Amino acid sequence: MKRLLSGMRPTGSLHLGHLIGALNNWVKLQEKYECFFMIADWHALMSEYENPKSIEKNSMEMLADWIACGVNPKKSTIFVQSHVKEHLELNMVLSCITPLGMLERNPTYKEQLRELKGRHITTYGFLGYPVLQAADILVYKGETVPVGIDQAAHLELAREIVRKFNNLYGKLFPEPETMLNKSTPRLKGLDGRKMSNSYNNFIALSDSPETIEKKVMKMVTYEKKIRRDDPGRPSVCNVFYYYMHTFRPERGRDIHDPCLKGKRGCVECKKELAEILINKLKPICKKRERLLADKAVLLDILKKGDRKAREVASGTMKEVRKKVGVFHGL
Ligand code: TRP
């Protein structure tokens, strides 16, 4: 089986976008790959270092969400980045061979500087974000990495670093491939922009039914459909988009014509969508709450995952020391 690695930063609550875009996919990939799923807490620290207390809480909640969504510790290795010291050791070595220009040109670096305006992230650590990400993958010799398109530039950088390492010291690492989820387009947020924690336009996996209903009722449909008998325009309506995206396309097709002809109101559509989403999240919510009520199960998952990850990572670091030729014989 090919080895796969992916991770998420514990910086906020997981939302429907994570479920549809990443987690459902991870759950399927577990059958076909040797999977490593990582809680990237060092990467969270890079942007949250001024208020780092939330990272641990977010990590536990994220883990509960993963498990509740079907990520299975019996099939996959689930671990915490900061519990495996080899990530930072390899990060050190890769830092030595990564030219600054490569990092300064990184488009996500520039974008984050623009977007995370309130945070002071013009730091040495944050500039090195993709180097640590490369180390995360390479320390397990990860061959394929399922990520969103926004991470593609980081993966490209990781491949460049691999080529440089292999050229300098002899072949050790495979070039990790980017696995984009083409079958499911990215889920838009409640306001039609990309669903994101920083836009506050998401439905969290942990939202209560009341919150979900409130959020859905506020969604924008077609601005000129004000009364029930005004003709709608499903093609521009975000509520309709949710039906069609993945949640209930067959129902969406039923609704399409009545909406167009002014025979169906937006409130009806929203009430029904809220119901669909609430039912979809209900089993996940229940499982999540059970896991968080008694953390022993979660801690045990991490203990085992960390141990397995350390085993693989320390093996790779031995090889790295040997290849690079530092302190491997002393
Ligand atoms: N940068 C990723 C994100 O923000 C998280 C991440 C850290 C990651 N290390 C990784 C993803 C290694 C894949 C592989 O989503």
Side-chain angles (χ1 to χ4, degrees):
M1 277 206 275
K2 265 200 188 180
R3 193 172 281 168
L4 174 152
L5 182 130
S6 198
M8 288 183 194
R9 280 178 304 159
T11 50
S13 21
L14 293 199
H15 52 58
L16 274 180
H18 294 114
L19 174 67
I20 302 300
L23 290 172
N24 282 345
N25 199 28
W26 287 12
V27 171
K28 279 192 232 139
L29 292 167
Q30 295 182 114
E31 310 300 328
K32 292 205 197 111
Y33 294 84
E34 185 194 1
C35 293
F36 285 75
F37 296 122
M38 175 186 75
I39 298 174
D41 56 347
W42 287 142
H43 276 109
L45 188 63
M46 288 178 184
S47 60
E48 312 300 310
Y49 66 92
E50 286 169 307
N51 185 19
K53 291 226 170 64
S54 58
I55 295 176
E56 190 164 302
K57 181 170 164 279
N58 287 337
S59 296
M60 288 309 274
E61 290 182 4
M62 190 165 87
L63 176 62
D65 279 334
W66 287 5
I67 307 296
C69 291
V71 179
N72 185 343
K74 293 211 172 78
K75 295 178 182 162
S76 303
T77 303
I78 303 167
F79 68 99
V80 180
Q81 184 185 33
S82 73
H83 294 180
V84 184
K85 66 180 172 39
E86 284 78 6
H87 290 246
L88 297 189
E89 290 186 29
L90 185 55
N91 178 64
M92 164 62 205
V93 176
L94 302 182
S95 301
C96 294
I97 69 171
T98 305
L100 264 186
M102 224 160 105
L103 300 173
E104 285 159 349
R105 273 194 305 276
N106 167 24
T108 43
Y109 177 67
K110 295 193 219 162
E111 185 192 306
Q112 298 268 344
L113 286 189
R114 256 181 279 124
E115 274 198 14
L116 300 179
K117 275 224 183 66
R119 311 247 175 82
H120 306 103
I121 50 173
T122 45
T123 58
Y124 163 63
F126 195 74
L127 183 66
Y129 187 112
V131 182
L132 180 58
Q133 184 163 348
D136 296 337
I137 301 162
L138 301 180
V139 86
Y140 303 99
K141 298 191 183 167
E143 296 167 86
T144 190
V145 185
V147 282
I149 186 78
D150 55 315
Q151 296 292 310
H154 292 166
L155 268 288
E156 188 56 50
L157 242 141
R159 286 188 289 272
E160 269 185 68
I161 294 175
V162 166
R163 287 193 286 273
K164 185 138 185 208
F165 183 99
N166 289 346
N167 271 331
L168 282 168
Y169 308 119
K171 186 162 168 35
L172 179 61
F173 298 119
E175 283 186 36
E177 65 177 27
T178 313
M179 182 194 275
L180 292 173
N181 184 355
K182 294 206 186 85
S183 57
T184 331
R186 194 195 274 279
L187 183 69
K188 286 194 272 186
L190 298 171
D191 57 0
R193 292 189 288 173
K194 136 182 170 190
M195 189 178 277
S196 157
N197 290 71
S198 36
Y199 296 153
N200 204 6
N201 62 353
F202 59 89
I203 290 179
L205 300 185
S206 55
D207 276 345
S208 68
E210 297 73 41
T211 309
I212 296 175
E213 175 151 0
K214 245 189 242 148
K215 286 183 175 176
V216 172
M217 295 316 284
K218 274 200 228 140
M219 283 173 76
V220 177
T221 53
Y222 169 49
E223 66 207 11
K224 294 208 181 114
K225 184 168 167 66
I226 292 156
R227 279 181 300 258
R228 187 177 185 277
D229 52 4
D230 291 332
R233 266 184 74 193
S235 61
V236 300
C237 169
N238 203 28
V239 173
F240 182 72
Y241 163 90
Y242 268 67
Y243 278 92
M244 296 310 288
H245 185 278
T246 37
F247 296 108
R248 203 53 69 79
E250 65 289 358
R251 184 68 184 131
R253 283 188 282 274
D254 291 344
I255 288 167
H256 184 275
D257 285 358
C259 168
L260 213 60
K261 291 182 193 138
K263 296 222 163 76
R264 187 175 164 90
C266 298
V267 173
E268 291 164 82
C269 271
K270 289 180 181 178
K271 283 224 164 102
E272 199 177 318
L273 177 63
E275 184 93 12
I276 292 168
L277 297 180
I278 289 166
N279 283 328
K280 170 133 195 125
L281 291 182
K282 204 183 280 164
I284 296 176
C285 248
K286 270 210 189 116
K287 187 143 188 221
R288 172 186 204 278
E289 267 164 34
R290 222 179 317 126
L291 287 162
L292 287 171
D294 171 17
K295 302 230 172 55
V297 176
L298 294 177
L299 292 171
D300 194 53
I301 290 171
L302 291 183
K303 207 164 113 195
K304 294 197 173 104
D306 291 346
R307 195 190 305 135
K308 171 80 198 293
R310 264 187 228 122
E311 242 170 66
V312 178
S314 62
T316 307
M317 268 321 287
K318 277 202 190 101
E319 293 180 292
V320 169
R321 285 166 190 271
K322 204 160 167 188
K323 287 270 184 209
V324 179
V326 276
F327 304 130
H328 70 282
L330 290 182

